[in-house]
Amino acid sequence: MNTLVSTTTRKVLVLLYGTLFMLLVALLAWLHNAQMAGLKQDTWSKLGGVTGTLASQVDGSRITRLLETYDSRGMLIKNTQDAWYYVLHESLRRSATVAGLEAPLRILAYDPFKRELQVVVTSDEQPELRAPYTGDPAGLVTTYLGSRSTTTERTVVRNTIATFSPVIDADAQVVGVVIAEHPLAELVAAARQRLWRNIAAMVVVFSAIGFFLFRRVGRLVERDTEAFSDLQRRHHDVTDSIAYAGKIQGAVIPRPELYRELFDDFFLINRPKDVVSGDFNWYHRISDHECFVAAADCTGHGLPGAMMATIGCSLLNELVMQHPHIGPAELLARLNARMIATLHQSEKHRGNGDGMDIGLCRVDRRRREILFAGAFRPLYWMNNGKLNIINGDRKPIGGNHHDPQREFTEHRLAYHEGDRIYLFSDGYVDQLGGPDRRRFMTRRLNEVMVANERLPMSLQAEALERAFLEWKGDNEQVDDICVLGIAV
């Protein structure tokens, strides 16, 4: 078991550690993406502030004059060659220096004749007037100028993050844009540097939590695993004990094949709620033509009910062996007295209600006579297609809620060939189910009995089983069930 506990503990700890690792990796990925998004936002804000300020200060007419004055490349070779160019260049240079930009600031305009985006002014020392602009955002800027938008735009194109703002002339026409660019690789490098710092911090946290898991949680898991293993062992022992109790009960309670000694057609439905049952059927042959048959319902179900059933069946066998010619009413009275004595249900222990309900018949095949007595259980007698219900006395066998000296009523029935009798516990009619989760009730049982009374006993059993299962549906079985049917 120690090996099992150790293996289970390692599996749990590895699972916890793996889950923690995945959570930390997910957290690192989220932090990295959030920091990258934050760096982009900060860069856009800085670049947008620069381009927006410059665009508002630049006179668009100067851009137009420069393009009209210098209509081809290479005409302007120095910053000081043209006063208007120099003023614009200095404005761009100062802004780039103050903002700490690495990429040059530029003013761009679109040449409709050459159909290309051109540089007008740059913050670099070397003029680029009329030089084609081939930066990553070139396509977006061209589209922007064609739309005549007047809002500052920001974008990430391939390896560049950029913002551009419109330059407007006196006629409120967009004649160009001021564009500021920043290499995306620098942002990626900065984000990666922060990522490594976060990874280092996470390693420390991961190690600390891992140490805690292996030192603290590991012990808790090991104790719980040992407790669970012990519980499993106990459960296995209890299950084995119940299974063995079922074998003992099966040896005590009569086998269904014994009914064939006197009856050609019969059925027995035995559905325990658990492995063993508190309900039992009983058969005892007295002579070549006489026998006792019964169906009993003991207090409780499962193992306690099975113990009561074993006691009840043993007492019945003992009493009939001692008094083979006794009637069912007298037999129940003697069984009650023996049950009270066996379970020590004296007056000073009032409240002990352990006992049984039982329907008991003595069948005489030669005289075609049935003697019946019942303790809280009825006899169903199907005579000429009519269902007759003979109720037992409202007194149990055993328990000290009633007078210990109990007498039971004996009913004498003269039956005909083809008649059937039925004895059963209350588990069948007490089953919850149907659309409103109510009890099956005796009314429905009577309807099933009458509807199938002409069928052979085996088919009647199938009809009863089918009606029960359809009513039960997905609900749990509430009690043990025993139904005995005999064609007398």
Side-chain angles (χ1 to χ4, degrees):
M1 187 177 72
N2 292 332
T3 303
L4 174 62
V5 171
S6 178
T7 302
T8 303
T9 302
R10 283 198 299 271
K11 288 181 178 179
V12 172
L13 290 176
V14 168
L15 178 62
L16 289 174
Y17 219 45
T19 303
L20 176 62
F21 177 76
M22 295 302 295
L23 289 175
L24 291 179
V25 169
L27 179 60
L28 284 173
W30 178 82
L31 285 175
H32 178 66
N33 291 332
Q35 288 172 350
M36 188 65 190
L39 288 172
K40 289 180 181 179
Q41 187 65 43
D42 293 342
T43 302
W44 274 325
S45 297
K46 182 174 74 171
L47 297 181
V50 172
T51 59
T53 301
L54 285 172
S56 64
Q57 295 174 351
V58 172
D59 184 355
S61 59
R62 294 183 181 182
I63 304 300
T64 304
R65 290 193 194 101
L66 284 171
L67 293 173
E68 291 174 350
T69 304
Y70 304 97
D71 59 356
S72 62
R73 301 168 191 165
M75 294 181 66
L76 185 70
I77 59 176
K78 292 183 179 181
N79 294 332
T80 56
Q81 183 176 333
D82 185 284
W84 294 115
Y85 182 89
Y86 179 76
V87 171
L88 292 172
H89 161 74
E90 282 298 304
S91 179
L92 296 181
R93 184 187 63 78
R94 284 194 300 270
S95 296
T97 301
V98 171
L101 302 181
E102 296 184 8
L105 286 167
R106 293 183 176 92
I107 297 176
L108 307 178
Y110 184 73
D111 186 343
F113 298 104
K114 293 185 178 181
R115 296 183 178 179
E116 66 179 5
L117 187 64
Q118 297 177 345
V119 178
V120 181
V121 184
T122 177
S123 62
D124 277 346
E125 291 302 318
Q126 182 61 41
E128 299 178 17
L129 182 59
R130 289 287 185 179
Y133 175 75
T134 58
D136 291 338
L140 291 176
V141 174
T142 301
T143 303
Y144 174 82
L145 289 173
S147 68
R148 300 187 180 278
S149 175
T150 58
T151 59
T152 297
E153 297 291 333
R154 61 185 189 178
T155 185
V156 176
V157 184
R158 291 188 290 276
N159 300 317
T160 303
I161 180 170
T163 62
F164 43 89
S165 302
V167 177
I168 302 173
D169 62 10
D171 297 326
Q173 298 296 317
V174 177
V175 297
V177 297
V178 178
I179 184 169
E181 303 169 80
H182 190 86
L184 185 60
E186 291 188 9
L187 300 186
V188 173
R192 187 176 292 117
Q193 186 176 8
R194 295 184 184 183
L195 175 62
W196 283 112
R197 288 200 299 267
N198 291 335
I199 289 175
M202 290 297 181
V203 168
V204 175
V205 173
F206 188 60
S207 301
I209 295 178
F211 178 78
F212 173 78
L213 286 176
F214 278 98
R215 289 293 300 274
R216 301 293 183 182
V217 178
R219 293 176 183 174
L220 294 176
V221 171
E222 187 170 353
R223 285 200 296 268
D224 289 345
T225 304
E226 290 176 351
F228 180 72
S229 298
D230 183 63
L231 182 63
Q232 280 188 316
R233 178 180 56 79
R234 293 175 181 270
H235 175 73
H236 182 71
D237 292 343
V238 171
T239 302
D240 287 346
S241 298
I242 293 175
Y244 191 71
K247 293 181 180 179
I248 296 175
Q249 186 181 35
V252 174
I253 294 174
R255 300 186 307 276
E257 293 78 11
L258 293 178
Y259 292 94
R260 299 190 186 281
E261 292 179 352
L262 287 179
F263 306 106
D264 295 329
D265 201 6
F266 70 94
F267 72 76
L268 175 64
I269 298 175
N270 185 33
R271 294 181 63 91
K273 183 181 186 298
D274 301 312
V275 178
V276 290
S277 177
D279 293 359
F280 68 93
N281 69 96
W282 181 68
Y283 169 88
H284 190 95
R285 187 171 179 179
I286 304 170
S287 66
D288 293 341
H289 55 87
E290 288 181 283
C291 70
F292 279 104
V293 294
D297 183 353
C298 297
T299 303
H301 49 76
L303 192 56
M307 295 177 66
M308 287 295 301
T310 302
I311 292 173
C313 190
S314 299
L315 290 177
L316 283 169
N317 289 330
E318 181 181 340
L319 288 169
V320 173
M321 291 292 293
Q322 294 172 355
H323 310 281
H325 302 295
I326 195 171
E330 180 64 21
L331 180 56
L332 290 187
R334 291 177 180 272
L335 177 63
N336 175 69
R338 290 294 302 275
M339 183 72 73
I340 292 174
T342 301
L343 299 180
H344 306 289
Q345 294 170 328
S346 63
E347 287 293 329
K348 61 182 179 181
H349 295 108
R350 178 165 293 278
N352 186 349
D354 294 336
M356 72 170 73
D357 301 336
I358 185 171
L360 174 65
C361 291
R362 177 168 179 152
V363 181
D364 189 331
R365 298 296 304 279
R366 179 181 295 172
R367 296 181 180 180
R368 295 185 181 273
E369 182 179 72
I370 297 174
L371 299 179
F372 166 73
F376 273 119
R377 298 310 307 150
L379 169 68
Y380 276 26
W381 175 28
M382 194 68 71
N383 173 247
N384 293 325
K386 181 182 177 182
L387 178 62
N388 301 278
I389 301 175
I390 298 91
N391 289 312
D393 294 293
R394 299 186 63 80
K395 306 171 187 177
I397 300 298
N400 55 15
H401 295 292
H402 297 261
D403 185 356
Q405 302 300 322
R406 298 168 203 168
E407 295 182 357
F408 295 88
T409 305
E410 188 165 279
H411 303 269
R412 186 180 301 271
L413 309 175
Y415 71 85
H416 302 88
E417 186 176 355
D419 286 1
R420 285 97 181 266
I421 60 172
Y422 305 89
L423 299 167
F424 51 90
S425 64
D426 61 3
Y428 191 101
V429 297
D430 285 345
Q431 178 60 45
L432 299 177
D436 299 322
R437 200 173 183 271
R438 295 185 178 182
R439 294 171 58 191
F440 190 85
M441 304 299 288
T442 55
R443 174 179 59 82
R444 293 185 180 86
L445 174 61
N446 298 347
E447 292 173 355
V448 176
M449 290 283 193
V450 173
N452 297 277
E453 60 91 12
R454 295 184 180 276
L455 296 178
M457 299 303 285
S458 60
L459 296 182
Q460 289 189 30
E462 292 180 7
L464 287 169
E465 288 270 19
R466 183 167 57 252
F468 174 81
L469 294 175
E470 289 176 355
W471 182 261
K472 173 179 174 292
D474 295 331
N475 294 295
E476 181 184 1
Q477 184 173 326
V478 298
D479 199 0
D480 300 320
I481 294 173
C482 178
V483 182
L484 174 63
I486 299 174
V488 292

